């Protein structure tokens, strides 16, 4: 496990509200319990539970959202989640979150995202490399630490980019609103759009206009695809040719064929898939077939908080379950650079970070 922690890693599939520390969730829940908004003991049991079906996971998210949908809390969890990933040597993080609207507390999708941005700026343990709008040049510049001016020191650095998620419960109009917000925030590090949420709810066709618009406007796209069996949807999503997909658990023969010929990279979330029973056990996980076929794949956490995992743990699990050595795992981590939603400049910087860490393999 030690070398899985110390080696640089790239995280491309992490949901903000799924990645919260248990201690933070419990602390926040206790406060709401004292105010009588929730029953703390029920919530505590739910948060600390280890096994969860996919249905229970989405019930838990509804609960988490009651606890966290508040501007200050959103800022706090964003800061903590980034610090946690940086601590285990994630050097590039694409953090995704669903912009939320809650009239009762004056929250709009935009103000929710501003609270996320505030969280980025609040990170103090590491430098956060993030695009900052260069007022003089009138154009965005990348690679600027937004939280601290102490760059150039030996402090750790993590690149953070944001993906805005569309929840499958949303309407076409709400999905379009999220895409427009992403476009307005393009200079602030929002690079793409994700489709997520309970996979048994909603239909791809509802979101298609928003995703078409996102693509036309130059945003990157990743879709949760095949987390439950739904061949018609899987085929339609693959035909759309997103830049990446997440999960790909319940694929039929035709779907594998289409996926492999399209070469669409897959974000693999081992613990999440096994805990939610989308895959019955690690030894039958599609990681093996995709890895052997040299299909592009990236190991990710999905929801490090909800599934009590970390990216290092996912690497360690894969190494043990699939008999992969240190060199192969290092290469797997490095390969992820090719699939980030960023330009060649950032890719080159990440490549040098990996190259200078390669001596850990000796
Ligand atoms: C599908 C998931 C998910 O956006 O509030 N989410 N969607 N499948 C999964 N597999 C377990 N895990 C998380 O983070 C929480 C939201 O992310 C999506 C769900 O929509 C969940 O409500 P944010 O930060």
């Amino acid at each position: 496990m030690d070398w899985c922690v110390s080696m640089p890693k790239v995280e491309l599939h992490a949901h903000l509200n799924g990645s919260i520390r248990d201690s933070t969730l419990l602390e926040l829940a206790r406060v709401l319990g004292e105010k009588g908004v929730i029953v703390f003991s029920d919530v505590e049991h739910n948060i600390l539970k280890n096994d969860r079906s996919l249905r229970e996971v989405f019930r838990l998210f509804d609960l988490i959202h009651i606890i966290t949908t508040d501007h200050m809390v959103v800022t706090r969890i964003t800061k903590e989640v980034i610090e946690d990933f940086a601590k285990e040597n994630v050097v590039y993080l694409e953090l995704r979150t669903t912009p939320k609207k809650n009239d009762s507390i004056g929250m709009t999708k935009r103000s929710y995202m501003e609270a996320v941005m505030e969280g980025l700026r609040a990170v103090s343990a590491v430098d956060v490399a993030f695009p900052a709008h260069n007022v003089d040049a009138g154009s965005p510049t990348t690679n600027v630490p937004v939280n601290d001016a102490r760059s150039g020191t030996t402090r750790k650095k993590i690149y953070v980019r944001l993906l805005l998620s569309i929840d499958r419960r949303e309407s076409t109009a709400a999905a379009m609103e999220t895409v427009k917000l992403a476009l307005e925030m393009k200079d602030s590090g929002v690079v793409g759009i994700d489709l997520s949420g309970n996979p048994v709810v909603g239909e791809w066709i509802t979101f298609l206009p928003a995703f078409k618009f996102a693509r036309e406007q130059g945003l990157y796209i990743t879709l949760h695809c095949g987390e439950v069996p739904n061949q018609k949807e899987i085929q339609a999503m693959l035909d759309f040719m997103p830049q990446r997909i997440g999960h790909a658990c319940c694929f039929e023969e035709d779907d594998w064929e289409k996926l492999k010929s399209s070469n669409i990279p897959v974000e693999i979330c081992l613990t999440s898939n096994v805990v939610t029973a989308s895959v019955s056990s690690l030894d039958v996980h599609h990681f093996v077939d995709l890895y052997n076929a040299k299909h592009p794949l990236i190991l990710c956490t999905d929801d490090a908080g909800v599934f009590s995992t970390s990216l290092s743990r996912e690497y360690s699990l894969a190494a043990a379950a699939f008999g992969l050595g240190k060199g192969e795992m290092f290469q797997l981590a490095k390969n992820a650079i090719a699939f980030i939603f960023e330009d060649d400049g950032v890719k080159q910087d990440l490549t040098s970070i990996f190259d200078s860490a390669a001596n850990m393999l000796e």
Side-chain angles (χ1 to χ4, degrees):
M1 177 79 176
D2 277 1
W3 55 269
C4 290
V5 176
S6 53
M7 97 181 167
K9 290 171 291 296
V10 169
E11 169 64 85
L12 301 184
H13 187 134
H15 299 270
L16 173 62
N17 276 284
S19 308
I20 307 168
R21 297 172 190 164
D22 279 355
S23 56
T24 297
L25 263 185
L26 288 171
E27 182 194 320
L28 296 167
R30 195 166 284 121
V31 174
L32 287 193
E34 279 159 13
K35 287 185 186 159
V37 181
I38 53 172
V39 178
F40 177 71
S41 54
D42 291 355
V43 177
E44 184 184 35
H45 170 75
N46 241 305
I47 292 172
L48 298 178
K49 202 168 161 224
N50 274 329
D51 290 337
R52 326 174 181 281
S53 65
L54 206 52
R55 222 166 117 218
E56 284 172 330
V57 164
F58 289 101
R59 274 214 300 266
L60 177 60
F61 278 125
D62 287 342
L63 193 61
I64 292 177
H65 289 146
I66 294 173
I67 299 172
T68 62
T69 306
D70 166 276
H71 292 112
M72 270 160 68
V73 173
V74 169
T75 297
R76 171 179 173 178
I77 60 174
T78 305
K79 171 183 184 285
E80 290 181 356
V81 166
I82 294 170
E83 288 182 346
D84 289 349
F85 277 114
K87 203 167 171 190
E88 55 156 348
N89 293 307
V90 169
V91 291
Y92 178 96
L93 164 67
E94 276 173 23
L95 186 61
R96 56 185 78 188
T97 193
T98 321
K100 293 167 188 71
K101 188 169 150 34
N102 184 340
D103 293 338
S104 67
I105 54 161
M107 180 182 277
T108 61
K109 287 191 175 195
R110 170 170 271 284
S111 72
Y112 175 92
M113 285 312 299
E114 278 161 3
V116 170
M117 297 297 304
E118 198 54 43
L120 268 149
R121 286 189 285 269
V123 174
S124 54
V126 289
D127 281 340
V128 177
F130 199 73
H133 203 75
N134 181 335
V135 181
D136 297 334
S139 62
T141 52
T142 50
N143 217 354
V144 178
V146 288
N147 55 329
D148 196 313
R150 280 177 287 161
S151 61
T153 65
T154 52
R155 275 161 53 90
K156 271 190 189 176
K157 179 173 94 174
I158 180 169
Y159 278 95
V160 181
R161 297 295 181 266
L162 299 169
L163 305 179
L164 301 199
S165 299
I166 293 170
D167 187 313
R168 295 181 64 111
R169 287 178 291 198
E170 291 186 280
S171 63
T172 306
M176 199 61 101
E177 191 191 339
T178 296
V179 174
K180 287 186 181 149
L181 178 60
L183 288 170
E184 286 164 22
M185 298 188 74
K186 237 176 149 183
D187 291 345
S188 315
V190 173
V191 290
I193 302 285
D194 155 59
L195 178 65
S196 51
N198 191 338
V200 300
V201 172
E203 290 187 66
W204 166 235
I205 192 89
T206 308
F207 315 108
L208 186 58
F211 279 95
K212 277 189 176 157
F213 180 61
R215 164 175 290 164
E216 280 161 21
Q217 297 298 314
L219 288 164
Y220 290 97
I221 290 165
T222 177
L223 303 174
H224 281 61
C225 178
E227 214 175 352
V228 293
N230 184 346
Q231 221 202 347
K232 197 169 148 230
E233 178 173 285
I234 293 169
Q235 287 283 322
M237 284 182 168
L238 294 176
D239 285 337
F240 183 71
M241 289 292 291
Q243 274 87 11
R244 299 194 309 250
I245 59 166
H247 298 298
C249 300
C250 304
F251 274 32
E252 309 263 342
E253 214 38 57
D254 290 357
D255 308 328
W256 290 125
E257 259 173 48
K258 189 168 276 193
L259 175 73
K260 285 179 184 167
S261 61
S262 68
N263 229 31
I264 299 170
V266 183
E267 303 151 357
I268 297 271
C269 309
L270 297 173
T271 300
S272 161
N273 295 160
V274 173
V275 172
T276 60
S278 297
V279 174
S280 58
S281 67
L282 277 188
D283 27 304
V284 295
H285 199 282
H286 46 290
F287 174 97
V288 180
D289 179 52
L290 292 176
Y291 185 84
N292 290 338
K294 297 198 177 354
H295 188 88
L297 55 87
I298 312 106
L299 280 184
C300 304
T301 51
D302 206 6
D303 299 294
V306 167
F307 298 118
S308 307
T309 191
S310 65
L311 193 55
S312 314
R313 185 168 172 273
E314 295 300 297
Y315 272 78
S316 167
L317 279 177
F322 312 126
L324 300 173
K326 215 167 158 182
E328 289 158 309
M329 295 311 291
F330 186 88
Q331 193 55 49
L332 185 64
K334 189 177 171 188
N335 288 349
I337 298 171
F339 316 122
I340 67 171
F341 291 167
E342 254 300 349
D343 61 22
D344 288 346
V346 177
K347 287 181 181 169
Q348 275 161 18
D349 196 16
L350 292 174
T351 305
S352 340
I353 292 171
F354 273 85
D355 288 346
S356 45
N359 57 4
M360 66 174 288
L361 295 173
E362 286 156 15

